[in-house]
């Protein structure tokens, strides 16, 4: 009896430690997911999958039921669970929700960052841009890492310019090229 109690306590401690580690992993994954979704929104790529439901990190799921060995097979018997048929997603449909309605009415982070840069007379760091946008739009969560990634994407699209000063990187809006009048030399010659 004492041995069983001791084994039980050790098993409880082991499972508690595993649960704590799993909760930390879950929190890290949720944070990573939030950052990735922000980056995805910043670069203007539409979401392809709905966001997972966030579980309350303080709640603990019910323990699993032990499986018993099927007679003579050496394999664990499958628990009899009633599975609900999964609803198939219709092609071309999007899940209805508040987020799509809210996001469609407010400017994208890319637009906010680009317009902020065009309003500035001197170069800004990613942290300065993030701070300014955070003050200008307190309803939005704007992470410096997402702003930095968005700025780099704007540089790649030639909508912003990057300048290094020591170990710091500063960004400015790229000058808009002035439209030039077409000349007769540039027109393609068509045979006909």
């Amino acid at each position: 009896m004492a041995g069983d109690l001791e084994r039980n306590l050790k098993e409880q401690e082991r499972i508690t430690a595993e649960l704590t580690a799993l909760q930390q992993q879950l929190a890290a994954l949720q944070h990573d997911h939030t950052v990735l979704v922000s980056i995805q929104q910043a670069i203007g790529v539409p979401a392809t999958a709905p966001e997972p439901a966030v579980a309350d990190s303080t709640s603990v799921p019910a323990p699993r039921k032990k499986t018993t060995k099927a007679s003579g097979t050496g394999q664990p018997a499958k628990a009899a669970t009633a599975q609900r048929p999964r609803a198939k997603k219709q092609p071309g449909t999007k899940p209805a929700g508040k987020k799509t309605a809210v996001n469609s009415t407010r400017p994208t982070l890319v637009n906010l960052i680009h317009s902020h840069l065009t309003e500035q007379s001197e170069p800004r760091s990613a942290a300065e841009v993030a701070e300014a946008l955070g003050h200008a739009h307190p309803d939005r969560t704007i992470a410096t890492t997402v702003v930095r990634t968005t700025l780099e994407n704007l540089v790649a699209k030639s909508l912003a310019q990057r300048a290094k000063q020591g170990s710091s990187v500063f960004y400015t809006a790229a000058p808009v090229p002035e439209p030039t009048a077409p000349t007769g030399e540039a027109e393609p010659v068509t045979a006909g």
Side-chain angles (χ1 to χ4, degrees), residues 81-149:
T81 57
Q83 292 189 357
R84 293 179 288 169
R86 294 181 184 226
K88 292 186 179 182
K89 182 181 173 188
Q90 296 296 325
T93 60
K94 290 185 179 180
K98 286 184 178 180
K99 282 198 162 195
T100 47
V102 172
N103 286 344
S104 64
T105 58
R106 59 186 200 178
T108 64
L109 188 60
V110 175
N111 293 341
L112 288 175
I113 291 173
H114 187 255
S115 63
H116 177 75
L117 283 181
T118 56
E119 295 168 359
Q120 302 305 309
S121 59
E122 56 188 45
R124 298 281 186 223
S125 69
E128 291 171 330
V129 172
E131 183 179 342
L133 291 177
H135 289 304
H137 302 278
D139 58 320
R140 297 178 81 149
T141 303
I142 300 175
T144 305
T145 54
V146 176
V147 170
R148 185 175 297 112
T149 302

